[in-house]
Amino acid sequence: PLDDVFVTLKDVIPQLTRSSLHRCLQRHGVSRLPKADREKPKKFKSYKIGYFHIDIAELRYEGGKGFLFVAVDRTSKLVFARIYRRATKLAASAFLKVLIKAVP
């Protein structure tokens, strides 16, 4: 990023400003990534209502850590989430059972 380059060069070139660095990079064609290197955003595959994407994320907080279990219906955008102390088979099973009861 431009700010990282600017901070790095600031001590070496004291008169350098952020805008002058940006203009210099533009002039030499290095201000942007080449278009060939960019990936096109992928679209989600279409699913029938009721297909859930399920994910687990680790949460760290002052008292320790927990695990966020999330289920998202990609069609209706219904989100269902629970936090468990451990990510075990038992917790995953409990999450799925509660999800099945909660989904209309």
Side-chain angles (χ1 to χ4, degrees):
L2 178 64
D3 290 327
D4 292 348
V5 176
F6 176 65
V7 168
T8 304
L9 294 175
K10 191 175 171 183
D11 295 335
V12 180
I13 310 170
Q15 68 274 19
L16 183 68
T17 63
R18 188 178 184 279
S19 61
S20 64
L21 174 62
H22 182 258
R23 285 192 306 273
C24 179
L25 293 173
Q26 273 188 321
R27 185 173 33 240
H28 293 284
V30 291
S31 62
R32 293 185 180 266
L33 291 174
K35 289 188 178 185
D37 291 349
R38 295 184 190 172
E39 290 184 20
K40 293 181 182 177
K42 296 177 184 176
K43 292 187 177 183
F44 282 119
K45 184 177 169 184
S46 293
Y47 292 99
K48 292 182 181 179
I49 200 164
Y51 177 87
F52 282 88
H53 172 82
I54 298 175
D55 205 355
I56 303 170
E58 185 177 313
L59 304 174
R60 293 185 180 263
Y61 56 95
E62 193 176 296
K65 67 180 177 179
F67 294 89
L68 175 66
F69 285 67
V70 180
V72 180
D73 183 339
R74 290 185 174 169
T75 304
S76 69
K77 306 298 185 215
L78 174 72
V79 177
F80 184 80
R82 290 286 186 267
I83 297 175
Y84 294 92
R85 291 183 189 266
R86 292 195 231 150
T88 62
K89 290 179 185 178
L90 193 58
S93 175
F95 175 73
L96 291 175
K97 286 177 185 175
V98 176
L99 171 64
I100 290 168
K101 286 181 183 178
V103 174

